[in-house]
C-alpha cells in the first residue's frame, strides 16, 4: 500500500532528468509485483523491481530489522542503478511540489557535489564535532561516490572517527570521511515526512502483546489502508478502526494509545497537520477520501482535543 502511494507521488513529479525508477522492497511479495505491474503502462521511462540479493533476501525478513533492511536496500539499488546520481526516496515521504526530484538532482549535479540532502543529519554528534552532513531521506548522491566506498561504510555499524567510537547510520561514515565542500544541505520545506513508518510497522509485527502507538504510526497505516489499498484483506494483523478506537481507553488492546496529556496533544496535532496536507494534496485530492478520513479520525480528534476548522 505504501509502495502504491509512493509510486503515485513519484508519478506526479516532473521527470526531465530521470533515467529509471528502481523499487527495492525489503520483502518480495506477489502484491509488490502486482503494484509495479499496474503502474508500468503509465510510467514515464523505466520502472523495475530489484530484489535483495541472496542470502539477504532470506535472512533479513527473519531478522525483521528495519535498520538492516534499509542499508541493504540502499546497496542493492545503487549497484543496479545506471544513472549518474541516485535519489533515495522514502515511501513515507510526500512531495508537495511537482519539480522536487528534478530539483534534488540539479542542486547536486550543477554544484559538482557528491551528496546533497534536504535536512542535516539527525545525529547531533557530527555537528558537535564540526562535521556537517546530510540525513538520508531524499538524499541525492553521485553514484560513483557511493560505489567508491567499501559496502559496510554505507551500512549501519559501529566504527571509529576522531579517536572516538560511534554508531554510524546509513551513509554517515562515508559522508564524514569525504570532502565537506562536496556535501550540502538544501532545506526544502514543502514536503511531508512521517519518519519511521515502515520500521514501526515491522516493530509492531515483532510484538506479541499490546503495542503502544504513541507516534500514531499504526493509526496512519490503517487510515491509508482504508483509503488507498487495493486489497484490504492482506492487512488482517493490524486492527480495524474500531479496534484502534478501543485502544484509546483500553491498554489491553492489540494497539493502544496514551492518555491526552499536553505533550501528547501537541504530538497528535503535529501528526494531524501533516496528514491534512497529504489528504488535501493535488495528486490525492478526492472529496470522498477526505470525508472518509474525517469520519475515521473523529474519535481520535476528540480524544486529543484536535479541532478541524472548515473554511
Amino acid at each position: 500500500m505504501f509502495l502504491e502511494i509512493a509510486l503515485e507521488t513519484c508519478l506526479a513529479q516532473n521527470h526531465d532528468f530521470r533515467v529509471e525508477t528502481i523499487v527495492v522492497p525489503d520483502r518480495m511479495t506477489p502484491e509488490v509485483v502486482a503494484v509495479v505491474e499496474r503502474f508500468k503502462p503509465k510510467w514515464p521511462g523505466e520502472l523495475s523491481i530489484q530484489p535483495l540479493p541472496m542470502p539477504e533476501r532470506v535472512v533479513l525478513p527473519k531478522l525483521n530489522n528495519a535498520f538492516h533492511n534499509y542499508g541493504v536496500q540502499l546497496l542493492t539499488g545503487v549497484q543496479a542503478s545506471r544513472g549518474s546520481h541516485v535519489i533515495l526516496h522514502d515511501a513515507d515521504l510526500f512531495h508537495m511540489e511537482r519539480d522536487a526530484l528534478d530539483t534534488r538532482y540539479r542542486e547536486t549535479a550543477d554544484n559538482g557535489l557528491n551528496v546533497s540532502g534536504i535536512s542535516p543529519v539527525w545525529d547531533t554528534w557530527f555537528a558537535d564535532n564540526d562535521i556537517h552532513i546530510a540525513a538520508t531521506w531524499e538524499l541525492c548522491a553521485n553514484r560513483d561516490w557511493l560505489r567508491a566506498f567499501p559496502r559496510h561504510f554505507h551500512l549501519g555499524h559501529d566504527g571509529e572517527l576522531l579517536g572516538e567510537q560511534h554508531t554510524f547510520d546509513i551513509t554517515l561514515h562515508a559522508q564524514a570521511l569525504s570532502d565537506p565542500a562536496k556535501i550540502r544541505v538544501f532545506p526544502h520545506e514543502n514536503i511531508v515526512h512521517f519518519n519511521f513508518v515502515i520500521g514501526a510497522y515491522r516493530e509492531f509485527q515483532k510484538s506479541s502483546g499490546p503495542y503502544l502507538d504513541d507516534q500514531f504510526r499504526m493509526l496512519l497505516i490503517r487510515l491509508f489502508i482504508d483509503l488507498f489499498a487495493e486489497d484490504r484483506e492482506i492487512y488482517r494483523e493490524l486492527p480495524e478502526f474500531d479496534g484502534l478506537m478501543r485502544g484509546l481507553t483500553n491498554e489491553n488492546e492489540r494497539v493502544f494509545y496514551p492518555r491526552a496529556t499536553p505533550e501528547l496533544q501537541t504530538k497528535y496535532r503535529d501528526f494531524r497537520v501533516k496528514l491534512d496536507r497529504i489528504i488535501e494534496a493535488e495528486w490525492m485530492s478526492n472529496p470522498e477520501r477526505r470525508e472518509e478520513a474525517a469520519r475515521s479520525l473523529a474519535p481520535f480528534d476528540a480524544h486529543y482535543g484536535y479541532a478541524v476548522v472548515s473554511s
Side-chain angles (χ1 to χ4, degrees), residues 210-228:
Y211 179 87
L212 176 61
D213 189 24
D214 58 347
Q215 300 295 322
F216 309 109
R217 296 303 182 249
M218 299 308 107
L219 177 61
L220 175 72
I221 293 171
R222 170 46 64 188
L223 179 69
F224 280 176
I225 288 171
D226 289 356
L227 294 181
F228 305 110

Side-chain angles (χ1 to χ4, degrees), residues 212-279:
L212 176 61
D213 189 24
D214 58 347
Q215 300 295 322
F216 309 109
R217 296 303 182 249
M218 299 308 107
L219 177 61
L220 175 72
I221 293 171
R222 170 46 64 188
L223 179 69
F224 280 176
I225 288 171
D226 289 356
L227 294 181
F228 305 110
E230 287 284 321
D231 181 5
R232 299 183 186 183
E233 290 301 310
I234 65 174
Y235 303 99
R236 273 172 276 182
E237 62 189 339
L238 188 66
E240 300 278 352
F241 254 106
D242 58 354
L244 296 183
M245 286 165 47
R246 290 195 298 270
L248 288 170
T249 55
N250 186 353
E251 294 185 359
N252 294 316
E253 291 291 330
R254 179 66 178 95
V255 177
F256 71 97
Y257 295 88
R259 62 188 182 87
T261 63
E263 178 184 359
L264 262 296
Q265 288 177 312
T266 298
K267 189 181 293 186
Y268 184 80
R269 183 182 67 245
D270 293 343
F271 162 77
R272 282 292 275 117
V273 168
K274 287 183 177 181
L275 190 56
D276 285 344
R277 291 187 67 195
I278 294 297
I279 296 171

Side-chain angles (χ1 to χ4, degrees), residues 14 22 45 56 85 110 115 120 138 156 203 213 219 228 281 292:
N14 296 332
I22 303 174
E56 288 89 343
H85 295 71
D110 293 352
V115 180
E138 299 310 288
E203 291 298 320
D213 189 24
L219 177 61
F228 305 110
E292 184 177 352

Side-chain angles (χ1 to χ4, degrees), residues 10-71:
C10 293
L11 184 63
Q13 287 285 300
N14 296 332
H15 47 85
D16 292 344
F17 304 100
R18 189 185 307 173
V19 174
E20 60 183 338
T21 304
I22 303 174
V23 175
V24 188
D26 65 350
R27 298 182 185 183
M28 279 296 296
T29 67
E31 290 79 17
V32 165
V33 175
V35 169
V36 172
E37 290 300 317
R38 195 158 60 243
F39 274 84
K40 276 186 176 179
K42 56 184 177 180
W43 199 259
E46 183 178 335
L47 173 64
S48 64
I49 301 175
Q50 186 63 47
L52 299 182
M54 297 293 285
E56 288 89 343
R57 192 184 313 170
V58 175
V59 173
L60 288 180
K62 297 181 185 300
L63 296 177
N64 214 2
N65 185 304
F67 193 60
H68 295 328
N69 290 350
Y70 186 32

Side-chain angles (χ1 to χ4, degrees), residues 73-82 86 88 143 146-147:
Q73 286 174 293
L74 165 67
L75 293 173
T76 302
V78 170
Q79 184 61 35
S81 63
R82 301 196 319 271
V86 298
L88 314 182
R143 185 199 62 183
L146 286 164
R147 290 181 176 179

